[in-house]
Amino acid sequence: MSKTADTPLPEAAEPLSTAAEPRIPDPGRWKALAFIALAQLMVVLDATIVNIALPSAQTDLGISEGNKQWVITAYALAFGGLLLFGGRIADLWGRKRTFVVGLVGFALASALGGAAQNEAMMFGSRALQGVFGALLAPAALSLLAVMFTDAKERAKAFGIYGAIAGGGGAVGLILGGFLTEYLNWRWTFFVNIPFAVIAAAGAYFVIREPSGARNRSPLDIPGVVLSTLGLVALVYGFTRAESAGWSDGLTVGMFVAAAVLLLAFVVTESRVRSPLLPLRVLTERNRGGVYLSLGLAIIAMFGLFLFLTYYLQIVKGYSPVRTGFAFLPMIAGMITGSTQIGTRLMTRVPPRLLMGPGFLVAAVGMLLLTQLDLDTSYAAVILPGMLLLGLGMGTAFMPAMSLATHGIEPRDAGVASAMVNTSQQVGGAIGTALLNTIAAGATTAYVADHAARATDPKLLELQAMVNGFASAIWWAVGILIAAAAVAAVLINTGRPGTGAGGGGTGGASGASGTSDASDGSTEGSEDEFRIPVIAH
């Protein structure tokens, strides 16, 4: 990286501690982690719990078939579009304050959704959940980044956070099944309220944000407008492609608009004095590698959640609750990979040696699931496939979450954390639309090829559906292999506590200076303005 691209402007933030000044760890950091993890669990649960409740809510509220997608889309647009803005607000306003406000707002929006009497109230509540989620998610991750500075403690903290981020979606399927089947779909919204209240109260009394870590530079209004509109156009383009097709005029228009707006955003950020997203956050190769590889992995994973849910309920005849429990092996694998493998090895080996192999193990699990058929055994194929998928993802997610904010200036922690969530949100939108479109195309082709010889139309429909799922999962395997390749090639930082980085470069920029790959020189001047997170 060039020095001009990554050197911060000291006048844009409050004075920070120097690299030579020791910082006493916050004695309440582990208690704080519990409340941060609880809030993260709530946000991740909400992403899948509503999917289980959607059919019942659609019937009760009279939501048309054409409008039902807006229960999901309204949340995705607000959340994905405002994440960078939310991260910048956290840096400007204070992460603790932003975190608490996000929790309170999310609880109120959830109450509105649970009390919805018509589709307008439902869509509005989901959009509000997205708005406050965009405040909450980057604030949570950036709090961890600035509170846990010891390498081993940071590994444990991000291990817990990574397990929740990876496995929470599957937990949402279980909880959503229970609440919908035994209570009422409205409880899939109301359940957020106790989560939010406990997390907000705990955060208010326990979290002590380190001083001197805010970025009080003026808000980049053009950057806010361009990034928000660009991300909304991108997410909506992929969401619309799922239902209207890739050649639809509005779909194509959304992609063109997104490209123009995001390009204008990059140009703007390179020229303004106090950018919304400092390009140094993106151009550091390790963080860039994390954002790209995580986004690719989420593309594969979100598509699989959708396919397995339909396969288990429609083809296998599982109830919502039984479907949720069928995902337990994936959760167990994620927790094991994140807290046992990732956490234990994070301080001993370079991150790429966890992320690359982790994504490859997940690809092997996904490969097993390409064998889905009408009579596929859960114990012989689906269970080991989900175990390997969870194990690999958990192992890769933990160092990825940690490295995404590693070496970042404290004043940029919020927006760097927002980029993690943005890559996941956009990856989820792409994965759902892309893989579902591939599956639908394969299903249609199968019906066309076999319709003349079919004797049972219902059986043909199920066989075609499963064939479509298997075809799309093959693509997911390839995407996970691509994620592993990105991690192996771009991420070159060494293990915590060493000065060596892979490929002859130093660690992530900002830890103790940025090494230049061309000559091995160290830009030590950056140390004046940065607090080391993990020393390299």
Side-chain angles (χ1 to χ4, degrees):
M1 294 300 126
S2 68
K3 186 163 184 171
T4 56
D6 202 49
T7 301
L9 297 172
E11 64 271 21
E14 295 179 350
L16 302 177
S17 303
T18 68
E21 292 176 352
R23 183 145 53 102
I24 300 175
D26 183 348
R29 61 194 179 282
W30 291 108
K31 293 179 182 178
L33 173 62
F35 297 113
I36 293 170
L38 183 64
Q40 174 66 10
L41 178 61
M42 179 190 71
V43 173
V44 176
L45 283 177
D46 193 75
T48 53
I49 197 172
V50 174
N51 290 338
I52 297 289
L54 181 55
S56 300
Q58 181 183 357
T59 301
D60 281 2
L61 300 180
I63 301 175
S64 68
E65 193 67 22
N67 285 340
K68 71 176 183 180
Q69 66 164 331
W70 283 100
V71 176
I72 307 300
T73 303
Y75 177 86
L77 290 179
F79 188 77
L82 292 171
L83 270 168
L84 286 177
F85 179 58
R88 179 65 181 86
I89 289 295
D91 288 334
L92 174 67
W93 198 17
R95 296 167 190 85
K96 174 181 175 178
R97 183 184 300 176
T98 305
F99 183 71
V100 172
V101 169
L103 281 166
V104 172
F106 200 93
L108 293 174
S110 298
L112 181 64
Q117 299 300 310
N118 51 55
E119 63 179 30
M121 283 184 68
M122 172 60 73
F123 299 157
S125 70
R126 289 291 284 163
L128 281 175
Q129 280 186 315
V131 169
F132 287 106
L135 288 176
L136 172 60
L141 186 56
S142 58
L143 277 171
L144 290 187
V146 298
M147 292 179 72
F148 287 89
T149 57
D150 175 77
K152 291 184 178 180
E153 288 191 349
R154 183 181 172 90
K156 292 178 183 178
F158 277 91
I160 295 169
Y161 188 91
I164 291 172
V171 175
L173 296 172
I174 299 174
L175 189 57
F178 263 109
L179 294 175
T180 302
E181 193 165 329
Y182 296 118
L183 291 175
N184 185 281
W185 66 265
R186 296 182 184 276
W187 282 96
T188 60
F189 287 88
F190 291 144
V191 74
N192 290 330
I193 298 174
F195 277 97
V197 169
I198 294 171
Y204 182 81
F205 290 108
V206 171
I207 292 178
R208 298 290 182 268
E209 187 177 351
S211 61
R214 291 193 194 179
N215 184 346
R216 297 186 182 277
S217 56
L219 190 61
D220 172 21
I221 300 299
V224 170
V225 173
L226 289 171
S227 67
T228 300
L229 292 179
L231 288 172
V232 165
L234 184 64
V235 172
Y236 183 62
F238 278 106
T239 303
R240 183 173 175 81
E242 184 182 356
S243 57
W246 296 94
S247 60
D248 174 73
L250 184 55
T251 301
V252 174
M254 285 293 104
F255 286 134
V256 172
V260 171
L261 288 165
L262 293 176
L263 178 61
F265 171 68
V266 172
V267 172
T268 300
E269 299 308 275
S270 68
R271 296 183 177 180
V272 298
R273 182 174 179 80
S274 304
L276 172 69
L277 175 61
L279 295 185
R280 61 180 176 268
V281 173
L282 291 178
T283 54
E284 202 284 315
R285 65 181 293 167
N286 292 288
R287 287 193 292 272
V290 166
Y291 299 146
L292 182 56
S293 61
L294 267 185
L296 288 170
I298 293 296
I299 289 175
M301 195 169 176
F302 264 61
L304 182 73
F305 273 147
L306 180 69
F307 299 146
L308 279 184
T309 300
Y310 274 92
Y311 175 80
L312 292 172
Q313 291 195 29
I314 296 177
V315 178
K316 289 295 192 181
Y318 284 19
S319 68
V321 171
R322 190 180 178 190
T323 299
F325 275 105
F327 280 93
L328 277 178
M330 187 184 296
I331 300 173
M334 284 182 175
I335 292 174
T336 302
S338 185
T339 62
Q340 299 304 310
I341 301 175
T343 298
R344 292 176 186 274
L345 295 181
M346 178 63 181
T347 57
R348 301 179 183 179
V349 300
R352 68 182 181 280
L353 296 185
L354 290 175
M355 292 180 63
F359 288 137
L360 289 178
V361 169
V364 172
M366 196 78 79
L367 188 64
L368 282 176
L369 296 174
T370 61
Q371 307 306 307
L372 287 182
D373 207 341
L374 292 181
D375 56 355
T376 295
S377 166
Y378 176 85
V381 176
I382 300 175
L383 187 149
M386 288 202 292
L387 269 175
L388 287 172
L389 183 65
L391 195 66
M393 286 293 200
T395 300
F397 274 16
M398 199 288 290
M401 290 291 183
S402 178
L403 192 59
T405 52
H406 164 67
I408 199 73
E409 298 172 54
R411 60 179 178 155
D412 290 336
V415 74
S417 302
M419 275 303 302
V420 179
N421 290 281
T422 299
S423 66
Q424 291 177 311
Q425 186 66 24
V426 173
I430 294 173
T432 303
L434 177 64
L435 295 182
N436 200 43
T437 302
I438 292 170
T443 298
T444 301
Y446 187 92
V447 170
D449 291 342
H450 296 79
R453 301 188 300 274
T455 57
D456 184 344
K458 180 64 176 176
L459 181 62
L460 174 64
E461 179 184 343
L462 291 177
Q463 288 173 329
M465 179 188 297
V466 174
N467 178 263
F469 292 164
S471 298
I473 293 173
W474 272 109
W475 280 81
V477 172
I479 292 169
L480 280 174
I481 293 173
V486 168
V489 172
L490 289 184
I491 297 173
N492 67 349
T493 185
R495 68 179 178 85
T498 70
T505 63
S509 76
S512 55
T514 302
S515 295
D516 190 312
S518 63
D519 60 13
S521 63
T522 301
E523 297 177 8
S525 61
E526 292 186 7
D527 288 346
E528 297 177 47
F529 312 116
R530 297 189 176 183
I531 298 174
V533 181
I534 302 178
H536 280 253

